[in-house]
Amino acid sequence: MMLQRLTLCSRIPLCAPRHTCRLLTRPLTQAPQGRATGSPFAHRGELRQAKRIVVKLGSAVVTRGDECGLALGRLASIVEQVAMLQNQGREMMIVTSGAVAFGKQRLRHEILLSQSVRQALHSGQNQLKDMSLPVLEARACAAAGQSGLMALYEAMFTQYSTCTAQVLVTNLDFHDDQKRQNLNSTLQELLRMNIVPIINTNDAVVPPPEPNIDLQGVNVISIKDNDSLAARLAVEMKADLLIALSDVEGLYNSPPGTDDAKLIDIFYPGDQQSITYGTKSRVGIGGMEAKVKAALWALHGGTSVVIANGTHPKVTGHVITDIVDGKKVGTFFSEIKPAGPTVEQQTEMARNSGRTLASLHPDQRSEIICHLAELLTERKDEILVANKMDMDLAISAGNLPPAMLNRLSLSTAKLNSLAIGLQQIAVAAQDSVGRVLRRTRVAHSLELEQITVPIGVLLVIFEARPDCLPQVSALAIASGNALLLKGGKEAANTNRVLHQLTQEALSLHSIKEAVQLVSTREEVEDLCRLDKVIDLIIPRGSSQLVRDIQRAAKGIPVLGHSEGICHVYVDAEASVDKVIKIVRDSKCDYPAACNSMETLLIHRDILRTPLFDQIIDTLRNERVKIHAGPRFASYLTFSPSEAKSLRTEYSDLECCLEVVDSMQEAVDHIHKYGSSHTDVIITENENTAEQFLQKLDSACVFWNVSSRFADGYRFGLGAEVGISTARIHARGPVGLEGLLTSKWVLRGDGHTVADFSEHGTMKYLHENLPVGQHLAGQRNSN
């Protein structure tokens, strides 16, 4: 329906009555402040501060694939984004193409209509002969299309109560001082009145373009196309940001579509020599080389620039707003080159060193981990000094809850415990990569093996918990995986020291780059888009962090759990002593942990018994706030506050208490409201317990054990990268085994070929051979 209205609007004559637009001298919302100085923004994240924005729409964005007429749906989504940013208090300007294409469509229609009428009058026949269209001159097309193009824009923006104004310019308007001042004054007044200027070159009278000599960073730039017009306009109007939309994702190091072409995330002025340009787009007169020259000219003039794709159907609806939000879209032009490598370069270095790590002998990987364990104790003073800096900053900021401060804090005891855990991992590393899982003699001359191999490149994102860094690093080293670490800024100093020690340990075998710490201003969402270089994401932190990463990850598996809604069910045949100990430990030992009890299910027969009173007294003595489930509340005259949801992860000294009639009802409740993390039954009835363990579909299911035992260290894994509630690959506490996958290796004598015919003569034995404890390459002689 929207497109139908727009199609009709495109035919509205300029003299037709129009809707009233809203004119405001000041926006209703608080506007961004813009740049503090005349310099362009140095980082993508700063683009959120952009107040004055120029959006350049290339010919390929505005026109249809047949180059006759406009892409109405695409234009509608772009107009919606511009109007939204305008209503946020930003000052938006559009430099648009499309007049020639719109005029070509109108003139072709008029010519066909005229020819058909003349032919019908002369021939008197109903069937028309083939009619050839004359070549249409671009200036005539522009003259015929300008009015219709502007009418279309105005009709679209009117849907969002936004006014527009048409401004046609030529070179003279910029090179003549008086005309330039008049143009500047007009645009300033339009912006002050909250009007969006729609700017285009006056193609009906524009002179031939001048040579490229003035594109090399001097004070003027010829208006040869809309790229140079947008750059000139952005600098003249002191715009904060220029968004140039085309039909490519951004700037590539070689022509898009070639084998080694890579999208450049950030382009620096000194990188021109490393670029190979391809052909220009199907329409327009510019091309990528012209866009880059214009972008660098605008950057030199103080305006930040992003070149992005405005034609992709999956991103067009939010490409402009994503750029303004600082997301990694297209190519961002920056004058400030970071001292270290980009995150893409870090990932590439990690992958290359990771392959060397995977090829090391198990003793060598164990040696690295043992050396890291020694460094944690030998250099503990250096670590604790850095950690004190982080703690002091966090306490003075006052924005971390006590539970996160506890995670952030390190001590000598914690470091010693870490070192012990790393030594256990070093032992496990002896039998990890290259372990033979299965051996089969397929035929007399064919032997098949399934062996363990690393997953590849891991991205581990963790919040204010620096002890996670050496644990995860050791597990990655033991499993031969490359590792990319993104820690919380709260632990920046501690993480930096721990990463230096990790790389020092890796240097024993010249693979220090296998573990990388991302310290740039990369957003987590941007890291989750590196699907071509990252094989697995492991989030360590709050449930909100995990949910955000699961939503942001595109094409990369995420290992983890978004919530830890753990249940403890107290059966009618439960032991009093066991109930009190398990309930207290499950809830009160570490309430912020993901394996802490969040819902306590009580069998109905326990209500109004001494055991029930003891449970309530225990929780109250521990200052646990109880939220009554619907059924429990119905039994009470004066009940505690009723639970807002039975799917709540409190992560504090709070829990929900609910009543059930049986073990089966408890299982049904957990299946409905749980998160498949860890669930517990307390009972002395073995048959009831076994049914609970068998029926319940959670990663960890316990009988007469605290939910806090769902932990890699307690499971004897040495350490864990997290607890997974996924149903494939790994579940529960994930240690070394969960970071491995497998591959098949087939060895033959070169004389055997596969025979898949219906009456094949080859005999397949499929004889299982003993595996033993050997690694691949150390095969048995049989």
Side-chain angles (χ1 to χ4, degrees), residues 569-582 603 606 611 663 680-692 702-705:
Y569 165 58
V570 181
D571 187 56
E573 299 179 66
S575 162
V576 175
D577 292 340
K578 292 177 183 178
V579 168
I580 300 305
K581 290 179 182 179
I582 292 172
H603 193 283
I606 296 177
L611 172 57
M663 178 274 297
V680 177
I681 183 173
I682 307 175
T683 185
E684 295 304 300
N685 188 313
E686 182 177 355
N687 181 56
T688 301
E690 291 298 334
Q691 287 188 55
F692 182 90
F702 298 161
W703 173 24
N704 288 346
V705 179

Side-chain angles (χ1 to χ4, degrees), residues 521-535:
R521 300 163 64 103
E522 299 291 328
E523 297 288 347
V524 169
E525 187 173 343
D526 293 330
L527 293 172
C528 293
R529 294 178 180 176
L530 300 176
D531 58 303
K532 294 182 180 179
V533 288
I534 293 174
D535 300 299

Side-chain angles (χ1 to χ4, degrees), residues 53-124:
I53 302 172
V54 176
V55 178
K56 180 261 174 182
L57 305 179
S59 300
V61 176
V62 176
T63 61
R64 297 198 310 248
D66 60 5
E67 304 176 24
C68 291
L70 305 180
L72 294 179
R74 202 179 298 149
L75 272 180
S77 64
I78 290 172
V79 165
E80 182 178 10
Q81 294 172 79
V82 171
M84 185 179 73
L85 294 173
Q86 179 84 1
N87 292 331
Q88 289 176 0
R90 304 179 197 269
E91 297 173 344
M92 305 297 296
M93 292 178 280
I94 293 179
V95 175
T96 182
S97 301
V100 173
F102 196 89
K104 186 183 293 186
Q105 181 188 36
R106 292 183 63 181
L107 291 180
R108 281 188 174 184
H109 177 75
E110 293 296 330
I111 291 170
L112 284 173
L113 182 61
S114 175
Q115 286 182 346
S116 63
V117 170
R118 287 199 305 270
Q119 192 175 65
L121 290 174
H122 285 85
S123 66

Side-chain angles (χ1 to χ4, degrees), residues 699-728:
C700 298
V701 189
F702 298 161
W703 173 24
N704 288 346
V705 179
S706 167
S707 63
R708 293 281 291 126
F709 269 88
D711 177 81
Y713 186 80
R714 290 183 173 93
F715 279 15
L717 304 179
E720 66 179 34
V721 294
I723 295 180
S724 172
T725 56
R727 300 184 183 278
I728 56 174

Side-chain angles (χ1 to χ4, degrees), residues 267-308:
F267 186 79
Y268 305 98
D271 293 346
Q272 297 98 309
Q273 304 304 319
S274 62
I275 303 299
T276 302
Y277 297 104
T279 59
K280 70 181 186 70
S281 64
R282 57 178 172 82
V283 290
I285 59 174
M288 186 53 71
E289 186 172 7
K291 289 175 176 57
V292 172
K293 289 180 178 179
L296 291 174
W297 192 91
L299 187 69
H300 181 74
T303 298
S304 298
V305 183
V306 175
I307 296 177

